[in-house]
Amino acid sequence: MATPGAPTSVQRGIVKQVLSGDAVIIRGQPKGGPPPERQLNLSNVTAPRLARRANPNIEGQNETKDEPWAWEAREFLRKKLVGKEVSFTVEYRVPGSGREYGIIYIGKDTTGENVTESIVAEGLVEVRRGGIKANDDAQHRLIELEEAAKNAGKGRWSKDNAHLVRDIKWMCDNTRNFVDSNHQQPLDAVVEFVRDGSTMRVCLLDSWHYVTVMLSGIKCPMFKLENDEQVPEPFAQEARFFTECRLLQREVTVILEGVSNLNFIGSVIHPNGNIAELLVREGFARCIDWSMVLVSQGREKLRAAEKFAKERRLRMWKDYTASTPAIEIQDKNYTGKVVEVVNADAMVIKTSSGEFRKITLSSIRPPRLSMPGKEDESPIKDNRRIRPLYDIPYMFEAREFLRKKLIGKKVNVSVDYIKPANDGFPEKTCATVTISNINVAEALVSKGFVTVLRHRADDDQRSAHYDELLAAEARALKNGKGLHSKKDPPIHRVADLSGEVQKAKQFLPFLQRAGRCNGIVEFVASGSRLRIYLPKETCLITFLLAGITCPRMARTGPGGPSSSEPYSEEALQYTKELCLQREVEVEVENIDKAGNFIGWLFVEGVNLSVSLVEEALSMTHFTAERSPYGSILFPAEENVKRKKLKVWEHFEEPTNIVVVEETERKTNYKPIVVTEVLDECQFFAQHVDSGPQLEKLMEQLHTEFSTSPPLPGSHTPKKGDLLAAKFTDGNWYRASVEKVSGGKAHVLYVDYGNSETVGSADLATLPPSYHSLPTQAHRYAMACVTLPKDPEALVEAKEAFKREIGRASCRERV
């Protein structure tokens, strides 16, 4: 060890930076902020000069190269001193410039290693011979060490002169190409300068590029230029000092991940950890979304570190207040089965306790009517009603993606935040949904079906996997998927047949011939009423289950609101869970007068009508007798009847009462001809045995009125009159006036039973000779028959009655 020099005051500090082989920056201990700094040059030695970049603000200044052994000298001191505690003495100060020269010792006192002697012994600097004092042992010691280095051929005194002169690239011509060419590979580097806590200048050791790197995913307070002065933002100086203490002139690994203007964005990894994570954890930096997508590793650690700093209100977060309401532990994480997908960003989940919860996927925005970059264009060319599922670009594709992936499947739900009610919109529970460790929202974003919401920097209401969502969106944007595609969006032309009777009649023959058609249940209105989308036929229909009658739901009609029947809600939920948004098969048999299709529905091979009957949630309809599934429906109904389940809970077996008639009842059948069929299973008929008399009477009446036509308007009709009325076939018939209004009379043709409104010009007085024959149209009603109360069944019964006896020859028994 060298002998200490002349007694001078010994000072202590920590080496912050090595400027060259003979100059260092020493700082003191921090007290309430960044400590003071001073530059100290090694006395009595001269080191080779390092390369210097040309200053564009100084005219005529040129770039310089490394002098031989300049880099080796600087590196010798850097590796030996940076970050270490040293003691030093100042031997002299240059007047005017104030530059200080002295001796540095490693350790807390002057007994440590003399740095000047060590670098001279390595042959990396030259001892200045001028001004050497004869009585200064320290200076003579330096000369002896230099001579020994010369004799040993060390450093700059070596004969082979194997020194390193760097080929420095101060600028990078194509930053994007440079990032892509390195493929996010770790690059060895030395941090040369720290501009602020998250921005630094590094030297890449492999290529000798000097580049500015901004830490990806975070941002520290900066220094703003105001009136030619740098004004620090709160905690800017502390953040820079924090980074300098740990990284300045340390060997690090740099991963270049992106570019911003001429600067690189990347991660700087020290052997002791990621500086970005430390800055955030200590409250010196915040996470920023736009560059978080570029982080190649450790996004979740950065978010966790920010959360840690926020909860403890460290530095930047000293005034932080959480914007997200607290969520109960039992409500934050749970599992359940997806029973419905609502458009592209929400779903209904049935929990293990049987509760239904609607949740919205966190931090994503579903497709909109106008696509990004095409706000002035709309797929709706006319003023027709907008159907979001089919008219909004990629809404149907997004819904189908979720439907096929999730419906009926068990998922894990992690609630991220609750968005309070606002602007008429209800409160939303926003969560992350995963299935088989796949984030559903991330999968949607990567397909380009939805976009990611941009949150404010101070907004905590975001997905716990927000960075993965941003990264997925960046990939979708780069690959031009979905909403980010330059192609025209897919168009879905779907014919909605609900309530369109004429359209439904046109489709009916095709659906009947098609047999079983594939469809998707879009909505369930009741246990037996559904809306189904048929992809192949590109139509949307209202479908009624054949062969059964389900309890009716509460509804508001012309007569006011009606209450729901027992077990209507249970039937609705059963049908929903079994087939809502499932792929089904339908067999269309017929339509009703409102244009609703009637038929059979199969989900995974199960006949829904039969299943509802077996669950005692519906009753069989009389039309099931004519169906091919009646043999299944009726035994199933009998089984639940006996057990008195649900809709049959009040069922009582009918008692057989034997009635003994005292005398045998005689039956007397008369042949009739049905001439007019009325509602409520009533009709008019003529007796066959009086047919000849009626024909003779009609022949005489027609002859008389054709040869001697009555004077138009000669007869003034009155209610109850029996007169002659001219029918649409041009002939006159006997008629009875039922109502007179506005010069016209509503008449009943008494021999046939049909009615008509006739003008006064087509009415005439009936001669008395035609009054003798009784009226031949007799009105009858079906005995022992009660019509069903259900409106749809009532319509079917009436149509069947008209079809069976209309204009037919029958026998009647009164």
Side-chain angles (χ1 to χ4, degrees), residues 33 78 102 209 220 240 263 329 356 400 616 706 719 806:
R78 181 185 69 79
H209 276 92
C220 288
R240 181 170 66 181
N263 299 327
I329 298 297
F356 291 88
E400 282 297 277
S706 60
K719 185 177 179 182

Side-chain angles (χ1 to χ4, degrees), residues 260-326:
S260 175
N261 298 326
L262 296 178
N263 299 327
F264 292 90
I265 300 173
S267 299
V268 177
I269 311 299
H270 186 270
N272 292 335
N274 188 340
I275 187 62
E277 183 182 344
L278 291 176
L279 283 166
V280 175
R281 188 177 181 85
E282 292 297 325
F284 286 121
R286 69 170 71 241
C287 294
I288 52 174
D289 300 331
W290 69 269
S291 69
M292 186 66 77
V293 298
L294 302 174
V295 178
S296 57
Q297 55 186 4
R299 294 192 194 101
E300 63 285 348
K301 292 183 179 179
L302 293 178
R303 293 292 185 188
E306 185 179 57
K307 183 179 179 181
F308 177 87
K310 285 179 177 178
E311 290 174 348
R312 286 158 180 77
R313 292 180 171 82
L314 300 177
R315 300 179 177 89
M316 291 177 62
W317 307 108
K318 61 180 182 178
D319 299 323
Y320 168 75
T321 302
S323 58
T324 305

Side-chain angles (χ1 to χ4, degrees), residues 593-615:
K593 64 178 183 180
N596 302 318
F597 291 84
I598 304 170
W600 306 91
L601 183 146
F602 302 87
V603 53
E604 296 180 357
V606 177
N607 187 326
L608 182 56
S609 298
V610 175
S611 183
L612 283 166
V613 171
E614 290 175 341
E615 292 294 325

Side-chain angles (χ1 to χ4, degrees), residues 521-552:
V521 177
E522 296 289 1
F523 178 72
V524 178
S526 68
S528 59
R529 189 183 187 93
L530 313 92
R531 277 173 64 85
I532 301 177
Y533 170 61
L534 305 178
K536 186 177 180 181
E537 292 75 15
T538 63
C539 64
L540 191 65
I541 65 173
T542 299
F543 191 81
L544 308 179
L545 295 180
I548 64 170
T549 301
C550 265
R552 297 180 63 180

Side-chain angles (χ1 to χ4, degrees), residues 538-678:
T538 63
C539 64
L540 191 65
I541 65 173
T542 299
F543 191 81
L544 308 179
L545 295 180
I548 64 170
T549 301
C550 265
R552 297 180 63 180
M553 300 288 296
R555 65 177 68 181
T556 302
S562 62
S563 59
S564 59
E565 296 179 357
Y567 296 102
S568 58
E569 285 291 341
E570 289 82 350
L572 171 66
Q573 289 301 327
Y574 181 81
T575 301
K576 268 190 174 182
E577 290 193 43
L578 191 63
C579 61
L580 180 59
Q581 292 187 340
R582 306 288 184 100
E583 295 179 2
V584 298
E585 294 179 314
V586 294
E587 289 181 7
V588 174
E589 287 190 343
N590 209 337
I591 60 173
D592 62 12
K593 64 178 183 180
N596 302 318
F597 291 84
I598 304 170
W600 306 91
L601 183 146
F602 302 87
V603 53
E604 296 180 357
V606 177
N607 187 326
L608 182 56
S609 298
V610 175
S611 183
L612 283 166
V613 171
E614 290 175 341
E615 292 294 325
L617 293 172
S618 69
M619 302 179 181
T620 57
H621 190 262
F622 70 90
T623 54
E625 296 178 357
R626 302 193 302 267
S627 74
Y629 305 103
S631 58
I632 306 175
L633 287 170
F634 289 112
E637 185 179 52
E638 289 299 324
N639 182 42
V640 293
K641 268 185 183 180
R642 288 193 302 270
K643 298 178 181 178
K644 294 186 178 182
L645 301 176
K646 297 175 183 174
V647 297
W648 300 105
E649 62 183 350
H650 301 300
F651 172 74
E652 295 293 339
E653 290 285 348
T655 57
N656 295 324
I657 302 175
V658 179
V659 179
V660 179
E661 295 184 359
E662 296 181 359
T663 60
E664 183 178 354
R665 184 178 179 184
K666 295 182 179 180
T667 57
N668 183 20
Y669 289 98
K670 294 182 180 180
I672 60 172
V673 175
V674 178
T675 58
E676 184 70 14
V677 181
L678 307 177

